[in-house]
Amino acid sequence: MIDRLPPVTAPALSGPVMMHQHWDDLAFLHWAVDPALVAPHLPPGVRPDVLDGVTYVGLIPFTLRGAGPGRAPAVPYAGTFLETNVRLYSVDDEGRRGVVFASLDATRLAVVLGAQTAFGLPYRWSRMRRAERVRDGARELAWTCRTRAGVRSRIAVRLGTERVEDEVAAFVTARFGLHVAYRGRTWWVANEHEPWPLRSAEVLVLEDGLRAAAGFDLAGPPDHVCFAERVTTRFALPRELPGTRTR
């Protein structure tokens, strides 16, 4: 049975805002995979979200900018950094569709330590660089990443002008929360953001070890590519998924 796509408009957060931030210049690279490949990487109480019999593994470099607690101003320095994540797509028994992070690489040590301690997210402190140029009237962006264990990633894309509004794009971007296992239970962290301003993109360079390091050694080019310039995101406080305590 094919799951229905989530709505494009985010539900409003029902509680206080825990954090706000901007996500800038994101490249979305996705590979279609068998849900059985993803299932062992998900926390208790959630399962792979599926579209047309497959789920997706995403590789997403971007700039996280202007993060701050609650509705307070952005935190100087630590609130802006480069990030690359490998992410999966999940759904729980209440029908909430979210993401599960297989890995998150970031350039701010304080953020890495804080996210690991407070939420159990698999952040790593890594070296990353971003470059940009305009060639023949089109923006081209490149990101490099090197983890402390020596895993490397190099991605470059050329931006197109066409809007992207297909089902796969909606499936991998209209996500309004994350599932994470922490301290013997599974948590749901809701978020809200405006619809993604998605546009086409062409992969120019892809030399990536982050997916294999996360357990997904996927050959070949991505099955779906798109790009977005910015959304503003607000996160709610974590909520425990009922029946997921393991100790």
Side-chain angles (χ1 to χ4, degrees):
M1 181 176 180
I2 299 175
D3 285 350
R4 296 180 63 84
L5 291 174
V8 172
T9 302
L13 297 183
S14 58
V17 174
M18 175 182 65
M19 181 184 302
H20 64 86
Q21 54 194 230
H22 304 297
W23 297 337
D24 287 355
D25 285 341
L26 304 93
F28 293 95
L29 283 62
H30 282 90
W31 287 258
V33 300
D34 188 327
L37 180 66
V38 166
H41 298 266
L42 302 184
V46 303
R47 60 189 183 276
D49 202 0
V50 175
L51 176 67
D52 294 336
V54 301
T55 190
Y56 287 84
V57 173
L59 176 65
I60 302 159
F62 67 104
T63 300
L64 193 154
R65 191 180 305 279
R71 300 184 184 277
V75 177
Y77 182 72
T80 297
F81 51 91
L82 297 176
E83 180 173 320
T84 299
N85 62 62
V86 176
R87 75 183 198 183
L88 316 172
Y89 298 94
S90 54
V91 60
D92 60 34
D93 289 341
E94 297 185 23
R96 293 176 296 202
R97 289 178 156 93
V99 303
V100 171
F101 291 105
S103 67
L104 301 110
D105 290 280
T107 56
R108 293 285 186 262
L109 178 58
V111 171
V112 169
L113 296 177
Q116 289 174 345
T117 302
F119 307 111
L121 290 168
Y123 267 100
R124 294 180 298 212
W125 184 33
S126 300
R127 293 182 178 179
M128 297 181 63
R129 291 186 178 181
R130 175 190 180 277
E132 179 178 351
R133 69 180 181 183
V134 175
R135 185 165 64 95
D136 297 332
R139 291 178 71 199
E140 295 182 349
L141 290 91
W143 302 263
T144 61
C145 176
R146 181 180 179 183
T147 73
R148 297 179 71 189
V151 179
R152 297 174 180 267
S153 179
R154 181 167 172 247
I155 304 163
V157 300
R158 178 181 174 86
L159 277 56
T161 58
E162 299 84 5
R163 295 181 62 183
V164 176
E165 298 178 323
D166 56 77
E167 282 193 317
V168 175
F171 181 83
V172 298
T173 64
R175 298 277 156 174
F176 303 111
L178 66 91
H179 295 104
V180 60
Y182 187 48
R183 294 185 175 177
R185 62 201 72 178
T186 301
W187 302 86
W188 167 254
V189 184
N191 66 40
E192 64 178 6
H193 56 75
E194 65 271 26
W196 289 99
L198 298 173
R199 57 196 290 191
S200 59
E202 174 191 359
V203 176
L204 302 177
V205 177
L206 179 58
E207 300 169 356
D208 174 66
L210 298 177
R211 290 166 298 144
F216 303 97
D217 191 4
L218 306 174
D223 297 292
H224 192 275
V225 179
C226 58
F227 182 89
E229 290 185 338
R230 167 173 278 201
V231 296
T232 299
T233 307
R234 292 157 291 276
F235 289 90
L237 293 170
R239 294 185 177 183
E240 181 182 345
L241 263 64
T244 62
R245 294 194 183 195
T246 58
R247 67 174 186 268

